[in-house]
Amino acid sequence: MSDVVLRTHGLVKRFGGFVATDNVSLNIERGARHALIGPNGAGKTTLVNLLTGTLPASEGRVELLGQDISSLSANQRVERGLVRTFQINQLFPTLTPLQSLAIAVASRHDAARRWWMPMGHDTAIAAEAEALLSQFRLQEHADRLTKELPYGKRRLLEIALAVALKPRVLLLDEPAAGVPAGERQEILATVAALPSDVSVLLIEHDMDLVFSFATRITVLVSGAVLTEGTPEAIANDPQVRAVYLGSTELAHG
Ligand code: ADP
Ligand code: MG
């Protein structure tokens, strides 16, 4: 028996008469480094929005760790460990990365409804924020204002803030988009290095990054799953090749 942490059954999303998500059933296994690829407009971001509860599904359901979470709010899903990255425009521009991380760590403790603050609680939060800072290679920027960080470092901070919430499943929608080619690998390397109890679903259009990162790939076309398999199987799949044939950028969107 495989160990599935996130499962969807027949997810459908309609915008009026347009079907953006077409009967998607997807399994993310424990510890997965799973990539979701597909042409621009394939419905990748919409699917993430259905998983997180940002958008209500028209049909189908989502299970996290064996429990149906379809009716839970986005915040309730985060509390259960289904976390997507923050977007840059959600960062606090005039706080430092360390301050922002401390807030994220503290919010997780609050979510556990601790009315009693044990001795050393504050020190523990600071230590955890410092550890995240070094894990995401932000130490040298610890005391700069977030708005003054290089773009690639702000994207790393987005991921660090999501990891501060102790996700079981982490959803990353193009975390390296807009980052210069030479710095993208660093971003994906920090994600790949997360502990194996964090399962990752990554949307990425840079195929070099996808194939260096993923152990499993799902291909989405016109809202539906075209195929799913190992990187090797996907790279050699004639259907997948046909989808990308002649496109200058492999799967941007
Ligand atoms: P991808 O992330 O794969 O590029 P999206 O999920 O953003 O694709 O979009 C899939 C399709 O759904 C696109 O055709 C897009 O125009 C459409 N779409 C996305 N969000 C909405 C919305 N809120 N209302 C109407 N159509 C939408
Ligand atoms: Mg998208």
Side-chain angles (χ1 to χ4, degrees):
M1 264 281 295
S2 64
D3 195 2
V4 175
V5 288
L6 183 67
R7 187 193 297 275
T8 74
H9 287 280
L11 270 188
V12 174
K13 181 62 185 178
R14 294 186 203 93
F15 294 112
F18 177 76
V19 181
T21 306
D22 186 2
N23 195 27
V24 170
S25 296
L26 185 70
N27 289 340
I28 308 295
E29 294 194 358
R30 191 178 302 274
R33 300 291 179 257
H34 196 131
L36 180 64
I37 66 171
N40 193 14
K44 304 181 295 297
T45 297
T46 301
L47 180 58
V48 167
N49 286 334
L50 298 179
L51 295 175
T52 58
T54 314
L55 281 176
S58 308
E59 288 174 34
R61 59 182 202 275
V62 181
E63 284 175 14
L64 179 68
L65 304 169
Q67 290 191 305
D68 192 330
I69 59 165
S70 310
S71 60
L72 297 188
S73 70
N75 280 338
Q76 288 171 321
R77 296 182 197 201
V78 171
E79 282 177 21
R80 295 204 181 192
L82 182 56
V83 180
R84 79 190 302 166
T85 42
F86 289 68
Q87 298 299 307
I88 280 187
N89 57 18
Q90 293 176 290
L91 299 176
F92 294 113
T94 57
L95 295 187
T96 68
L98 186 58
Q99 289 167 333
S100 300
L101 285 166
I103 289 170
V105 171
S107 79
R108 193 189 77 227
H109 290 233
D110 290 346
R113 294 190 183 79
R114 291 195 184 192
W115 54 273
W116 175 68
M117 189 182 281
M119 293 271 283
H121 184 74
D122 191 63
T123 321
I125 288 172
E128 198 177 324
E130 294 273 6
L132 285 161
L133 210 59
S134 70
Q135 187 181 347
F136 286 87
R137 305 174 196 190
L138 291 162
Q139 307 98 310
E140 62 193 88
H141 302 284
D143 300 320
R144 288 174 75 182
L145 300 184
T146 295
K147 65 179 180 184
E148 292 166 358
L149 297 185
Y151 187 76
K153 295 293 176 183
R154 275 183 280 157
R155 300 234 64 171
L156 278 168
L157 178 58
E158 292 174 355
I159 303 170
L161 286 167
V163 170
L165 301 179
K166 287 251 191 280
R168 302 296 301 272
V169 179
L170 181 62
L171 307 172
L172 299 158
D173 190 354
E174 301 197 11
V179 175
E183 296 168 37
R184 286 183 206 147
Q185 189 59 49
E186 181 189 28
I187 293 179
L188 268 288
T190 62
V191 175
L194 289 173
S196 62
D197 60 351
V198 182
S199 310
V200 180
L201 180 64
L202 169 80
I203 297 174
E204 178 53 58
H205 60 81
D206 180 329
M207 286 299 138
D208 290 338
L209 291 183
V210 167
F211 281 95
S212 69
F213 172 84
T215 51
R216 195 88 191 154
I217 299 177
T218 297
V219 184
L220 206 61
V221 177
S222 304
V225 174
L226 177 73
T227 184
E228 189 198 306
T230 63
E232 193 187 10
I234 294 300
N236 294 310
D237 186 321
Q239 275 187 298
V240 176
R241 286 170 169 259
V243 167
Y244 288 117
L245 199 66
S247 77
T248 47
E249 39 183 350
L250 275 177
H252 189 89

